[in-house]
Amino acid sequence: MSSACWSCSELVGEGVLCSHCYKLQPVVKKSAFLMLNLPMTFDLDMGLLEQNYFKAQRMVHPDRFATSDKTQKLYSAQHSAAINEAYLKLKDPIKRTAEILKVEGYIQPNIELQTLDDPELLMEVIELREELLEVQTEEQSQKLKNKIDTLFDGNIHALSTAFSSKNLDQASKLLNRLRYLSKIRFEANQRKAA
Amino acid sequence: MRALLQISEPGQLDRKATVSSGAIGIDLGTTHSLVAVVENGKPLVLSDEKGEQLLPSVVCYLDGAVRVGNHGGSMVRSVKRLMGKNVGDADRLNESQFHAIDKTASDQVIRLNVGTKSVTPMEVSAEILKTLKIRAEKHLGQQVSQAVITVPAYFDEAARNATRDAAKIAGLEVLRLLNEPTAAALAYGLDSGEEGVYVIYDLGGGTFDVSILRLEKGVFQVLATGGDTELGGDDFDRLILDNYLSNVDDSIHERIKLARELKQKLSFEEAVLTPSGHLLNRDDFNLLIESLVQKTLNICQDVIKQAGLSLPEIKGIVLVGGSTRIPYIRKRLESVLGQTPLQTIDPDLAVAHGAALQAHALTQGSDTLLLDVTPLSLGIETMGGIVEKIIHNNTPIPVSKSQEFTTYQDGQTAMSFHVVQGERELVKDCRSLCRFELRGIPPKVAGAARIAVTFTIDADGLLTVSAKELTTGVHQTVHVKPSYGLSEEELTAMIVAGYENAQSDMNERLLQQAIVDGNRLLNAVESALEQDKALLSQEEYDEMRLFLVDLRENIALKHINAIKQSCDRLEVSTQTFAERRMNKAIKTALTGQSIDTVL
């Protein structure tokens, strides 16, 4: 898709800079994967994610446009913020899963914690919560945290399998479980701090 | 200066262009401030005429004149502690013990009594900035209008705004507000070329910061930051003051100075004698500061945890700030973090170095990438005085985030928002930044309107909030300015006043500029005479020499108008000379070339 450069009116392509006058163009909405030039996969190469994140920021960061005109300064901040957002999305397995499902058109964007309609998950969550309440010693706390970590990692693995077999229903279900596990993990960590 | 341009050798660059862009780096500290520039690719901290690099952050008001440094009169020190604070904060922090706070001022902006007038902390800070600006202008021989100014990483929105306002009053455009530990890391990383994860422990005169940074191939990525903007070396001085110097019969300024001297001595000696003959040894002092030091260590551990790191993953600890010279702090850090802090950088200069490097990078371009985070969470007050966080602390900046809210009453047409900053869950425990109201919402049943509130933090860490009703597009944007900050009108008035007071500064600057221009002309004419004396008659040559002597004398006398006159005379007298040189140059260029290649 091409549009006219805001500065020189020439047609600009996909790039963030106009190919004629090299001025920074406004942000075009893209998926987080496209934004950072990465293949859409759950099993993301984290090293590559960092590398591409830095590469993208290098081009558009406000430090590069500190002495530019107002328009480019504004676009630079917007690009940089969009890249930061994409980076955070892809770094976190929960947000990454949600992003893939969104691009696949599977669930509505901005969907928050879904209701617990999965009886199996409901039981699991209730049991974990009870265990959390019963924790008294440091040893018990560590043991429970290890257990949650193991469940969390197992869920990540299952998500990877679900995506590679293109089972989006399963992925969505696992995403839901991951959200609950993440919430309980956070609470378990908080408890220790208190 | 047409003649000069004609007389210079082709390819000989203007001195201005080769020296620097005139963008400076400023470390605006609680007890000391510094200014640095980059020359030949290296940061250089500038000294005053006595060779001092550290400018005491003390502003003295005496007989209508303002001087920065320890000059007596009505003195304001450690004004950084009041930046972005309101009258209530000053009371809470017991600052009136150390500052002549104007109790009659009715508004929320703190005012300090200095002699016969009262000034805001921003105006006091501006005096320090102006002094540093002039120091840089003298060194560079040119006007300076742009600066990178460092702020504690843990400075909140109000304090950042106050710093930017101070710069405006001083006539400086802030290229970037740079976090102090990030600046230090930049100086350290570019110097050592090291890679890995580093803890920057920055304990200055009035503030404490800790940042975790990853350094990697020209990238400086802040992973997490924490701190306390009300904890620093000043607090150690105050403890000595309260415990050992309360009986000393002297002014508060003298007693603070004394306390600081005792503290500094204790970094090198095992014990010191107080004026009342009391022996204060290191152990006593360590005991005094123990709980404050523990506070910094707790923050360190917490920030490392927030960055998702464990101790073995940390490659080094970099110490910044004068207070890190205290042996006890080094010892405690070593035992808690399990490694000896690095001592490769000067804790007083590192921040200024980083600021200068960043100023250079922003104006001249650079391959280095600095990725910082926002230190404090930002949110909106919701029902029951609970904070709905919109941007969490340690989020990379710049950042823009939206959240949708809805009406809670049928037919509601306006909605008010209260923006707060802080980590706590309740509004009353967070810092209130501003309130605003979105009007013109179409009346609907409760919960039907959709209002998107967008928080945007720029690369300086400054916030803009906008609210938009999504079904109608009613829109409002607020540049967050804390209610106890300066209004635009006040700020403008101060900037104007600054110009008036700066008349003498301006004269000084114009003189420096004239001297630089004069010297440049002198050099250009002399080198031209050396090469092409043959083009002149003896009479013309003598006249030119006479004007040269005249100009040199006037430069030595520092008489601005005389320098300018001498320059003008010399330029006029060299015009013919310049033309002849040009002709000669063209002839030389044409000699031996065929007509085809020339045309």
Side-chain angles (χ1 to χ4, degrees), chain B residues 87-117:
Chain B
V87 174
D89 297 323
D91 284 346
R92 175 174 57 82
L93 295 167
N94 215 355
E95 288 288 341
S96 53
Q97 199 185 337
F98 306 96
H99 288 110
I101 293 174
D102 184 354
K103 301 276 185 195
T104 62
S106 55
D107 50 3
Q108 284 288 290
V109 184
I110 293 178
R111 291 191 167 271
L112 302 168
N113 287 318
V114 287
T116 52
K117 48 179 188 169

Side-chain angles (χ1 to χ4, degrees), chain A residues 50 58 63-64 81 84, chain B residues 176 214 217 358 366-367 398:
Chain A
E50 302 279 315
R58 250 181 224 286
D63 285 358
R64 294 276 173 280
N84 277 334
Chain B
R176 183 75 73 238
R214 190 166 70 179
K217 297 184 194 77
Q358 182 69 350
S366 147
D367 286 334

Side-chain angles (χ1 to χ4, degrees), chain B residues 28-45:
Chain B
L28 185 60
T30 309
T31 49
H32 293 100
S33 298
L34 300 93
V35 61
V37 294
V38 169
E39 278 185 14
N40 306 317
K42 293 257 175 233
L44 173 74
V45 174

Side-chain angles (χ1 to χ4, degrees), chain A residues 42 93-94 96-102 104 106-107 114 118 121 155-179:
Chain A
F42 178 76
I94 294 177
R96 186 163 73 240
T97 305
E99 180 73 1
I100 299 174
L101 291 174
K102 184 179 146 189
E104 295 281 5
Y106 190 80
I107 46 174
Q114 290 170 324
D118 178 346
L121 178 56
N155 199 91
I156 296 277
H157 189 75
L159 258 173
S160 169
T161 313
F163 274 119
S164 54
S165 59
K166 303 220 179 311
N167 187 344
L168 298 187
D169 284 330
Q170 178 66 5
S172 166
K173 219 171 142 185
L174 288 166
L175 169 62
N176 212 11
R177 181 164 178 258
L178 200 61
R179 279 182 171 141

Side-chain angles (χ1 to χ4, degrees), chain B residues 531-542:
Chain B
Q531 289 168 26
D532 291 321
K533 193 185 160 190
L535 295 177
L536 294 170
S537 69
Q538 187 63 41
E539 236 168 59
E540 286 169 327
Y541 178 75
D542 287 345

Side-chain angles (χ1 to χ4, degrees), chain B residues 333-523:
Chain B
L333 257 177
E334 192 169 337
S335 78
V336 169
L337 299 187
Q339 56 178 299
T340 316
L342 300 162
Q343 303 198 16
T344 44
I345 59 168
D346 185 326
D348 285 329
L349 307 185
V351 170
H353 279 180
L357 287 165
Q358 182 69 350
H360 186 76
L362 294 181
T363 50
Q364 310 287 298
S366 147
D367 286 334
T368 304
L369 181 65
L370 259 189
L371 299 168
D372 220 316
V373 299
T374 180
L376 295 155
S377 298
L378 288 156
I380 288 273
E381 172 169 1
T382 58
M383 297 283 275
I386 292 169
V387 181
E388 169 92 29
K389 285 182 185 167
I390 296 196
I391 294 177
H392 287 266
N393 61 333
N394 295 323
T395 300
I397 54 169
V399 55
S400 190
K401 234 179 145 194
S402 296
Q403 183 109 335
E404 271 186 39
F405 293 87
T406 187
T407 47
Y408 53 91
Q409 271 176 353
D410 288 344
Q412 191 178 338
T413 57
M415 197 162 178
S416 62
F417 295 94
H418 182 199
V419 182
V420 298
Q421 185 166 37
E423 303 318 309
R424 305 283 293 274
E425 300 300 319
L426 296 180
V427 170
K428 67 178 178 60
D429 298 321
C430 288
R431 162 135 255 182
S432 164
L433 289 182
C434 73
R435 292 169 189 273
F436 70 98
E437 202 166 71
L438 181 71
R439 293 172 177 279
I441 300 170
K444 288 181 181 170
V445 291
R450 289 167 60 217
I451 294 126
V453 177
T454 305
F455 277 38
T456 303
I457 304 178
D458 65 15
D460 292 321
L462 294 170
L463 174 71
T464 309
V465 183
S466 63
K468 188 178 180 182
E469 204 287 308
L470 294 174
T471 57
T472 56
V474 175
H475 189 261
Q476 191 178 346
T477 301
V478 194
H479 288 276
V480 176
K481 207 128 197 220
S483 39
Y484 43 87
L486 296 173
S487 68
E488 279 307 313
E489 295 78 40
E490 283 174 301
L491 186 61
T492 309
M494 285 174 188
I495 294 170
V496 171
Y499 281 143
E500 282 160 6
N501 296 339
Q503 197 53 52
S504 58
D505 306 349
M506 185 64 94
N507 289 341
E508 173 67 22
R509 188 184 305 140
L510 290 173
L511 172 65
Q512 292 301 330
Q513 188 61 48
I515 291 176
V516 169
D517 290 345
N519 279 324
R520 193 153 45 189
L521 185 62
L522 268 179
N523 293 336

